[in-house]
Amino acid sequence: MLPHQSSYTLLGVPVISGFTSRRTNKTENWTRLFSIIKDNHIYLFKSRRDKKPEEEISLFGAEAERDRSGKLNKDFVVSLKPHPSLLDQDHLDLIYYFATDSEASITDWLVSFNQEIEAAESESKIFGTNIQVACSKRTDGLLVPEIVEQTIEVLLDPELHYLEIEGFCQIAGDTQQMESIKNRIDYGMVVDFSAIQDPHVIVGVLKLYFEKLKDPLLPIELYEEFEKCLKIPNNDNKLIAIKETLKKLPDENYDTCKYLFDFLVRVSALCEINKMDATKLSVIFGPSLIRRDNTSSTENIESTSFQEELIRILILNYENLLLNDLDNEEFDQNNFQSKSGIKTRVIAIHPYTAQGKYQISFTKGQIITVLKKDKSGWWYGEIDEETKGIFPSNYTKEITRLGQFNNISQETEYVSELTIDSARKSNQELSQKLNSFKQKSGVEGRNALEELLIEVLYEMKMLKIQLALERSERIKLEEKFIDMNKN
């Protein structure tokens, strides 16, 4: 089963509650339990006083009906069959039976079951709806569907190296597992994507979400306008027209575009390794992200070419079309600076090489002052007065706010601890590679050893640079701290 969390809470009014007798088609004995239907589940307690349920059964996608077989030694019985995607593979035929002592009471329970089953489907479904539906379920105000954020967050985890897999985004995931995840999400279950071992399944669920949207990410009503943009012969004017059309997107679509195309840009940036350039990605994602409404077969062929070209342009010109306002747009300093003038600072936990003219490169351990944050995950910051630009925030970790500590020694010690911790993780990775090398022999072993030595020398060089930068940073901070005390 996929991991999910318990949904029971003491809050809320039950649809119905009372004692029922329960058994399954796997057992013969009836058990008397205090039962509560609410929040799209039936919760079963040993007694009325218990606060924690003995068992909970999801009603998402379930089927409930009267059982009149006469084979259960009870007269008033309701059978409940959970949706198969919510069951273990060994129990796909599981059926629950609930019995009461009168026709009136069992009728009430059957009505309550079906009422909550119907409500569950309408309240939680996000596949096959619009982006606005998924965003409206968020409580943090972000205008990106959680399924998009959660899948991409796992896929971009630098420690998993998923983007380096050859054929990434192209290799099909297990259809049955993807359908199971889709159903779980649509039935309101919490899916932990970090616990899913196959990255192709995670990408598959992401693509499936966009494929099933009632109105695509780039809405049908803007299809013809985007089409006109691509017919403009001058490339600069074409990009200007596309950018103006993108501004007409609903806020939820625009922010989701930023988030998704950021991901696609990072995938294509490693195309020499994963063999997935902008053209291949546009073929895979194009038909899911923009489409006509009710097209003929001839129009479909023309649409495919247009879809792929538009998506390819968006990937190749992502910074210009969706991100270049980060370094020239006015922003509220109060978002990143407290009343006492404390600024948000981050430390690089992974090295990063700029992929475009608006980006900045950094090595592991470098400190960046954050000047602006964007919902896409790209932040605008500075390493020094001359090095400013955007960078992927998931390659960094917030360390402190300048001025937070009582003295400069505390802050320097804190930064050093993080640096040492980062170096320790690098050593662990090298140790694992050394153990792997020990198991090899011959030419393969010599090649592996050579690669390992090159990496060790590189890490030593980076450590020297890091220590020099740290010393320089400490001196600057000490001078700033002295000036603050003088004032």
Side-chain angles (χ1 to χ4, degrees):
M1 290 181 67
L2 293 169
H4 67 277
Q5 63 188 29
S6 174
S7 60
Y8 183 70
T9 172
L10 292 173
L11 301 176
V13 179
V15 175
I16 191 173
S17 63
F19 281 96
T20 64
S21 295
R22 188 226 65 187
R23 61 163 285 188
T24 73
N25 59 333
K26 306 287 185 181
T27 59
E28 295 184 359
N29 297 325
W30 289 93
T31 304
R32 185 171 167 79
L33 298 165
F34 185 72
S35 309
I36 295 177
I37 293 181
K38 74 167 189 173
D39 301 330
N40 315 128
H41 289 73
I42 178 168
Y43 301 99
L44 307 173
F45 302 80
K46 285 185 176 180
S47 74
R48 190 191 297 267
R49 294 186 299 274
D50 288 350
K51 294 182 179 180
K52 185 177 180 181
E54 182 78 7
E55 185 178 3
E56 62 180 82
I57 305 166
S58 171
L59 300 181
F60 296 101
E63 297 177 6
E65 60 184 8
R66 277 296 300 271
D67 181 275
R68 301 183 186 276
S69 65
K71 299 178 180 179
L72 301 171
N73 300 321
K74 296 280 185 182
D75 294 325
F76 311 109
V77 180
V78 166
S79 67
L80 179 71
K81 183 171 177 54
H83 194 280
S85 67
L86 306 181
L87 298 172
D88 290 319
Q89 290 297 314
D90 297 336
H91 298 87
L92 294 179
D93 60 343
L94 180 65
I95 299 174
Y96 291 91
Y97 298 104
F98 295 90
T100 63
D101 56 4
S102 71
E103 181 68 33
S105 64
I106 200 63
T107 300
D108 287 343
W109 278 94
L110 178 60
V111 170
S112 298
F113 270 123
N114 285 321
Q115 175 183 325
E116 202 66 1
I117 290 169
E118 185 177 346
E121 184 174 357
S122 61
E123 289 175 9
S124 61
K125 186 178 177 66
I126 65 165
F127 281 84
T129 61
N130 291 326
I131 283 180
Q132 287 70 21
V133 173
C135 292
S136 68
K137 299 180 185 300
R138 300 198 65 145
T139 58
D140 55 10
L142 289 180
L143 300 180
V144 176
E146 280 191 338
I147 183 174
V148 176
E149 181 185 17
Q150 290 168 357
T151 51
I152 289 178
E153 184 178 352
V154 173
L155 294 171
L156 287 180
D157 187 335
E159 296 185 0
L160 297 176
H161 303 287
Y162 285 155
L163 270 60
E164 298 173 16
I165 298 173
E166 186 171 339
F168 182 69
C169 289
Q170 189 175 40
I171 299 173
D174 182 84
T175 304
Q176 186 175 353
Q177 189 177 1
M178 290 190 297
E179 185 67 20
S180 175
I181 294 170
K182 169 188 170 294
N183 289 332
R184 283 176 171 272
I185 293 171
D186 266 350
Y187 298 149
M189 308 295 284
V190 177
V191 175
D192 181 6
F193 285 98
S194 65
I196 299 172
Q197 301 299 315
D198 186 352
H200 305 303
V201 168
I202 303 174
V203 175
V205 173
L206 176 67
K207 289 192 290 186
L208 187 62
Y209 172 72
F210 286 111
E211 286 171 10
K212 296 289 185 181
L213 283 175
K214 187 180 294 184
D215 195 20
L217 179 63
L218 301 173
I220 293 172
E221 64 177 19
L222 292 177
Y223 185 96
E224 291 184 0
E225 193 163 340
F226 278 118
E227 203 171 31
K228 290 177 182 177
C229 293
L230 261 62
K231 293 178 180 178
I232 299 173
N234 181 277
N235 190 61
D236 290 340
N237 292 337
K238 181 187 297 182
L239 294 180
I240 291 171
I242 293 174
K243 186 168 186 174
E244 290 304 309
T245 306
L246 286 170
K247 290 179 180 178
K248 297 179 182 180
L249 294 175
D251 291 343
E252 295 87 349
N253 296 60
Y254 188 81
D255 284 359
T256 304
C257 262
K258 275 188 172 184
Y259 209 89
L260 175 65
F261 281 97
D262 160 54
F263 167 67
L264 297 179
V265 167
R266 299 197 203 189
V267 175
S268 64
L270 296 174
C271 63
E272 291 187 5
I273 300 173
N274 59 34
K275 311 303 180 187
M276 298 302 298
D277 58 15
T279 299
K280 286 185 178 179
L281 290 172
S282 68
V283 172
I284 294 167
F285 283 89
S288 304
L289 303 181
I290 184 168
R291 63 177 181 271
R292 283 184 185 274
D293 193 17
N294 301 321
T295 57
S296 65
S297 57
T298 304
E299 287 176 323
N300 271 329
I301 296 173
E302 296 173 354
S303 291
T304 301
S305 176
F306 158 69
Q307 291 161 346
E308 293 172 4
E309 179 61 13
L310 178 61
I311 300 308
R312 190 183 72 85
I313 289 174
L314 289 174
I315 294 173
L316 293 175
N317 299 275
Y318 171 66
E319 289 182 357
N320 181 33
L321 296 174
L322 289 163
L323 269 188
N324 72 345
D325 57 345
L326 272 175
D327 61 349
N328 56 33
E329 186 182 74
E330 290 186 8
F331 58 92
D332 186 1
Q333 288 274 6
N334 292 326
N335 288 334
F336 312 102
Q337 186 168 303
S338 72
K339 294 179 181 179
S340 60
I342 298 173
K343 292 183 178 179
T344 299
R345 302 165 72 232
V346 296
I347 186 170
I349 56 175
H350 301 283
Y352 181 74
T353 302
Q355 305 294 329
K357 63 181 180 179
Y358 297 104
Q359 300 179 24
I360 55 174
S361 301
F362 47 76
T363 57
K364 186 161 57 177
Q366 273 195 283
I367 296 169
I368 305 168
T369 300
V370 180
L371 301 177
K372 186 179 181 183
K373 295 179 181 178
D374 188 78
K375 295 173 185 176
S376 67
W378 285 93
W379 292 358
Y380 180 61
E382 63 178 6
I383 296 175
D384 51 48
E385 292 183 359
E386 296 182 358
T387 309
K388 295 182 181 180
I390 58 176
F391 62 93
S393 59
N394 66 324
Y395 277 64
T396 66
K397 177 180 180 181
E398 187 169 333
I399 54 170
T400 179
R401 296 174 181 274
L402 189 60
Q404 175 179 328
F405 295 102
N406 295 328
N407 56 61
I408 198 65
S409 298
Q410 289 183 4
E411 180 159 339
T412 303
E413 182 181 349
Y414 181 72
V415 174
S416 298
E417 286 176 0
L418 284 174
T419 305
I420 292 169
D421 181 60
S422 179
R424 186 179 295 115
K425 288 181 180 178
S426 294
N427 287 336
Q428 290 173 351
E429 292 174 4
L430 289 174
S431 296
Q432 291 173 356
K433 291 181 181 179
L434 181 60
N435 290 332
S436 175
F437 153 73
K438 289 177 180 177
Q439 298 173 6
K440 300 176 181 178
S441 61
V443 176
E444 185 183 12
R446 286 196 297 274
N447 290 339
L449 178 59
E450 184 177 344
E451 290 177 6
L452 181 63
L453 288 173
I454 290 172
E455 191 163 352
V456 169
L457 290 171
Y458 175 79
E459 287 292 334
M460 289 175 65
K461 181 180 178 181
M462 288 299 100
L463 183 58
K464 288 180 180 178
I465 294 173
Q466 190 170 293
L467 290 171
L469 287 170
E470 202 176 304
R471 182 175 181 276
S472 174
E473 180 77 9
R474 186 173 68 251
I475 291 170
K476 288 179 183 178
L477 289 172
E478 286 173 350
E479 289 173 351
K480 191 173 291 187
F481 187 70
I482 292 168
D483 290 340
M484 287 170 61
N485 287 336
K486 284 181 180 178
N487 296 332

